[in-house]
Amino acid sequence: MFADRAKIIIRSGKGGDGHVSFRRELFVPNGGPDGGDGGKGGDVIFEVDEGLNTLFEYRHRRKFSAEDGEPGGKRRCHGGNGADIVLKVPEGTVVMEAESGKVIADMSGENRRQVVLKGGRGGNGNMHYATATMQVPKYAQPGQPAQELEVRLELKVIADVGLIGFPNVGKSTLLSRVTNAEPKIANYHFTTLTPNLGVVDMEGCGGFVIADIPGLIEGASEGVGLGHEFLRHIERTRVMIHVVDAASTEGRDPIDDIYKINKELEAYNPEIASRPQVIAANKIDAIYIDGEDPVSRLKAEFEPKGIRVFPISAVSGKGLKELLYYVQELLNEMPKERLVFEQEFFPEDVLSVEKLPYTVEQDEKDPHVFVVEGPKIEKMLGYTNLDSEKGFAFFQRFLKDTGILEELEQAGIQEGDTVRMYGLEFDYYK
């Protein structure tokens, strides 16, 4: 079974606690502290596995945890580090925070391995706390807590070219004819439930990856049928081949089909709908001309709009070479970079401060000044470089996502008022 989505809970390892102990040796009745440090907790790591093409193994298991670090021991013994957990995923998998849908990691391109949750640091043993005035420290540092997060995994196919169109127009047959792919082909709607990939490798062509996107229907952009499950797979494609049944073997009008599918693309993502398209007028060997030639109708309708129409037969192979060479020309004119989803959610930053307190108060002396303080703010400012554009953007997201901006508005802040945070001052504007 093909699985392109899953929701799981991931947990890093807790840091091991520091140990409290004292030297106990013969003739040394009051030895100094010798409690060892705790070990580091294991990380949660996502890694691309070239042998995988689905997220099936994450559909039946919900929770994945790294090992906790071991506590420190006597005689300055360091606790063992917890083992990392490495979650293997197919290339093109996007890891998102489940509730907000914000991207944590896009496992594609050069990003083959990424630490998503870091294990907690081990705590210091009491050997670190001996001073001239405190020679018998009876306390040690606890290990940092584990981090836990619910994430959504979505597989978005990596391909240069996507085959789109209604079910049963011949996309799978076309793919099997022009690539090394072996899709299952049968005369049923929604036969293709898996996006099949193949490599087009022709003489005089650089070669490109082509994906048979399962058939769309009206209402796909609203989730009708299997619409959303399939539409996500064309997000990375650079060119789309729109396959239509030019012979109308099922009684549908090919021109109407194209407009319906493009309407679904526009509703799902206007940027995708604006990408280059080529029309493959398939099943020309089944056309029995009785009146107007359907291929001429297609050309008259779409070629003035800059969309080329190629009459083809996926069964006999007629017209395929001309179609593919033209697609290669389009790809050569376009930037080679594929869409990569930028990271929007930073677990280490968000999870480490989300439970810390803060206060929002109006200054007693100046009603146009609002003071925001507390451990949450202090810690955030400690790891954020406000002088950089990226750092300041994170700072703005932090204020919004944590509800601080909302609290300032509830406190009565107006445009032009000042927000003060530990010596830093900012003017407030909506």
Side-chain angles (χ1 to χ4, degrees):
M1 176 186 173
F2 181 74
D4 60 358
R5 284 192 301 173
K7 191 180 282 189
I8 61 174
I9 295 170
I10 54 176
R11 177 189 177 277
S12 62
K14 174 189 176 301
D17 295 336
H19 189 70
V20 176
S21 62
F22 300 90
R23 286 176 57 204
R24 291 292 180 264
E25 297 176 22
L26 196 61
F27 308 119
V28 186
N30 296 310
D34 69 351
D37 301 341
K40 177 186 173 295
D43 298 336
V44 179
I45 302 169
F46 280 83
E47 186 174 87
V48 172
D49 185 334
E50 305 290 349
L52 294 177
N53 59 9
T54 81
L55 297 168
F56 181 73
E57 65 178 281
Y58 300 106
R59 296 291 288 267
H60 302 290
R61 183 179 164 194
R62 276 280 288 159
K63 191 161 186 176
F64 297 83
S65 301
E67 283 188 1
D68 293 340
E70 295 180 354
K74 298 178 180 179
R75 299 181 181 177
R76 299 177 176 252
C77 285
H78 194 291
N81 293 335
D84 299 334
I85 184 169
V86 180
L87 304 179
K88 306 272 188 175
V89 293
E91 184 176 8
T93 299
V94 180
V95 184
M96 294 174 282
E97 197 273 323
E99 188 175 342
S100 66
K102 291 183 177 180
V103 174
I104 300 172
D106 182 354
M107 307 306 297
S108 63
E110 296 180 359
N111 189 25
R112 319 305 286 179
R113 181 181 172 94
Q114 182 167 333
V115 177
V116 169
L117 289 185
K118 290 186 177 179
R121 287 197 305 270
N124 290 331
N126 71 333
M127 63 179 179
H128 292 277
Y129 299 110
T131 66
T133 55
M134 173 57 73
Q135 297 182 7
V136 189
K138 296 180 180 178
Y139 52 85
Q141 184 183 32
Q144 278 190 332
Q147 294 184 339
E148 187 169 290
L149 189 64
E150 186 175 34
V151 297
R152 193 167 81 237
L153 309 180
E154 284 191 4
L155 176 57
K156 299 176 189 281
V157 165
I158 305 287
D160 300 295
V161 178
L163 295 176
I164 60 172
F166 270 83
N168 208 30
V169 293
K171 298 190 303 297
S172 297
T173 305
L174 173 57
L175 184 75
S176 67
R177 185 88 193 186
V178 301
T179 75
N180 56 354
E182 297 179 355
K184 294 179 181 178
I185 300 169
N187 192 29
Y188 300 108
H189 285 194
F190 280 107
T191 295
T192 306
L193 295 179
T194 305
N196 294 295
L197 272 72
V199 178
V200 174
D201 188 14
M202 303 184 302
E203 188 177 343
C205 272
F208 53 87
V209 179
I210 190 168
D212 165 20
I213 308 300
L216 300 176
I217 60 175
E218 281 186 273
S221 60
E222 299 165 10
V224 174
L226 299 175
H228 277 168
E229 283 80 350
F230 297 152
L231 278 164
R232 77 170 58 90
H233 293 299
I234 58 178
E235 291 188 15
R236 298 190 199 264
T237 57
R238 295 190 287 152
V239 173
M240 282 173 283
I241 299 177
H242 203 142
V243 185
V244 292
D245 177 2
S248 300
T249 57
E250 297 192 348
R252 292 199 313 269
D253 177 19
I255 291 177
D256 189 46
D257 279 3
I258 291 171
Y259 281 123
K260 284 177 178 176
I261 294 295
N262 283 342
K263 183 180 176 183
E264 295 305 324
L265 295 180
E266 178 75 28
Y268 180 72
N269 187 332
E271 191 277 324
I272 294 174
S274 68
R275 293 178 195 171
Q277 273 192 33
V278 183
I279 294 172
N282 194 23
K283 304 188 182 182
I284 57 171
D285 45 1
I287 295 175
Y288 299 96
I289 296 184
D290 183 14
E292 191 178 4
D293 177 11
V295 174
S296 298
R297 282 181 62 227
L298 285 164
K299 288 187 175 184
E301 180 72 23
F302 294 104
E303 291 201 338
K305 299 176 182 178
I307 303 174
R308 288 283 301 276
V309 177
F310 289 85
I312 67 162
S313 169
V315 172
S316 68
K318 186 176 180 181
L320 292 182
K321 189 173 288 187
E322 293 83 354
L323 169 69
L324 296 175
Y325 276 123
Y326 178 71
V327 169
Q328 181 70 69
E329 287 176 19
L330 285 179
L331 290 171
N332 290 343
E333 294 169 2
M334 298 176 67
K336 292 193 183 296
E337 296 84 11
R338 288 195 183 91
L339 173 67
V340 175
F341 296 92
E342 295 292 330
Q343 185 170 3
E344 304 168 312
F345 186 93
F346 299 83
E348 190 175 5
D349 294 344
V350 175
L351 295 176
S352 61
V353 300
E354 65 177 4
K355 296 179 181 178
L356 295 176
Y358 67 92
T359 58
V360 175
E361 295 177 347
Q362 196 167 15
D363 191 282
E364 294 179 358
K365 297 179 181 177
D366 188 345
H368 296 290
V369 174
F370 291 77
V371 181
V372 184
E373 292 181 335
K376 182 191 287 273
I377 309 302
E378 198 169 10
K379 186 165 186 177
M380 181 275 298
L381 291 174
Y383 61 64
T384 306
N385 178 14
L386 297 179
D387 294 330
S388 74
E389 185 177 340
K390 188 175 179 181
F392 196 74
F394 169 75
F395 168 70
Q396 290 177 308
R397 284 199 311 270
F398 172 85
L399 295 181
K400 183 178 180 182
D401 293 347
T402 54
I404 293 172
L405 281 182
E406 188 177 343
E407 286 199 34
L408 283 166
E409 289 169 2
Q410 290 174 356
I413 195 168
Q414 301 295 320
E415 287 207 6
D417 287 352
T418 300
V419 179
R420 185 179 295 152
M421 297 180 180
Y422 292 98
L424 298 172
E425 291 191 352
F426 308 93
D427 291 333
Y428 173 80
Y429 291 101
K430 273 196 172 183

